[in-house]
């Protein structure tokens, strides 16, 4: 029996040490508020950068807590100077990990622009669409009715460009759903 314990004891000690360390790590994670920071949105600098393309007339974006039926909605922002709102959506492009895109709207529901926050699209193909400022600028000034006829897919990167357009369609739906609550109209 004693010989068996001597064989098992190092494993038992290692399991106990790992359990204690895991518990302390979880406690530190929760006390430090890391979970809340991960869900808090973006910093002021990041918002200014994204808003420059998505909602250029906005002086500053403020996060708004709003409920939507769209499962891809990550965040809703309101322009502090009242020029509109922005929605951040998870959008499926070519890569299954999805793109995160901010779409900006004026109070009348006209899209002011968009900003691709993150993506894992194919280098040299999908990334070209995301880096193509002329292509992305086509979204500025569009209404929901204009969306299908005004923006074409990019040849060779149709999944990425279709994903951006599908995300824009979803963004128009979220705008219609939440604009009264967010903008007070």
């Amino acid at each position: 029996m004693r010989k068996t314990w001597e064989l098992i004891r190092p494993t038992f000690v290692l399991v106990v040490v790992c359990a204690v360390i895991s518990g302390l790590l979880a406690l530190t994670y929760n006390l430090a508020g890391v979970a809340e920071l991960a869900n808090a949105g973006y910093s002021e600098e990041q918002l200014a950068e994204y808003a420059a393309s998505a909602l250029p007339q906005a002086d500053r974006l403020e996060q708004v807590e709003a409920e939507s039926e769209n499962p891809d909605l990550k965040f809703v922002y309101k322009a502090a100077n009242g020029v509109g709102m922005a929605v951040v959506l998870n959008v499926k492009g070519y890569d299954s990990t999805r793109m995160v895109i901010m779409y900006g709207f004026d109070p009348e529901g006209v899209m002011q622009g968009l900003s691709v926050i993150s993506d894992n699209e194919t280098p040299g193909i999908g990334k070209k669409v995301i880096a193509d400022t002329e292509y992305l600028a086509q979204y500025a000034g569009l209404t929901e009715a204009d969306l299908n006829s005004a923006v074409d897919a990019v040849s060779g990167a149709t999944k990425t460009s279709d994903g951006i357009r599908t995300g824009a369609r979803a963004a128009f739906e979220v705008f219609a759903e939440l604009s009264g609550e967010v903008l007070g109209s």
Side-chain angles (χ1 to χ4, degrees):
M1 181 71 175
R2 184 177 182 132
K3 201 169 206 166
T4 304
W5 174 247
E6 287 178 16
L7 289 173
I8 296 174
R9 188 169 74 175
T11 304
F12 178 74
V13 169
L14 183 61
V15 168
V16 170
V17 167
C18 287
V20 169
I21 290 173
S22 296
L24 291 173
L25 184 60
L27 179 65
T28 304
Y29 181 84
N30 288 324
L31 289 177
V34 175
E36 289 81 19
L37 288 175
N39 295 320
Y42 304 102
S43 71
E44 290 290 325
E45 294 80 24
Q46 289 171 316
L47 284 174
E49 176 187 337
Y50 307 145
S53 299
L55 198 58
Q57 301 299 321
D59 59 349
R60 183 174 50 86
L61 295 181
E62 300 169 342
Q63 187 172 349
V64 176
E65 295 298 324
E67 294 292 323
S68 172
E69 294 184 18
N70 187 323
D72 293 326
L73 178 66
K74 288 181 60 104
F75 302 108
V76 177
Y77 295 97
K78 176 182 178 180
N81 60 350
V83 297
M85 68 183 267
V87 296
V88 178
L89 297 170
N90 282 316
V91 176
K92 178 148 177 32
Y94 180 77
D95 190 287
S96 62
T97 59
R98 298 181 169 253
M99 297 178 280
V100 177
I101 303 177
M102 176 184 281
Y103 296 91
F105 297 92
D106 71 8
E108 287 77 40
V110 177
M111 187 173 288
Q112 299 300 296
L114 64 91
S115 180
V116 179
I117 296 171
S118 67
D119 72 276
N120 281 330
E121 298 301 290
T122 309
I125 301 172
K127 293 270 190 201
K128 277 187 176 180
V129 174
I130 292 167
D132 187 348
T133 55
E134 285 183 36
Y135 173 76
L136 297 178
Q138 295 179 77
Y139 286 88
L142 294 182
T143 64
E144 188 171 13
D146 299 331
L147 187 59
N148 291 328
S149 61
V151 181
D152 292 325
V154 175
S155 179
T158 53
K159 288 189 178 191
T160 301
S161 52
D162 284 347
I164 293 170
R165 186 174 48 227
T166 300
R169 194 171 296 113
F172 276 111
E173 292 170 7
V174 170
F175 176 84
E177 178 185 355
L178 300 177
S179 62
E181 177 184 344
V182 173
L183 298 174
S185 50

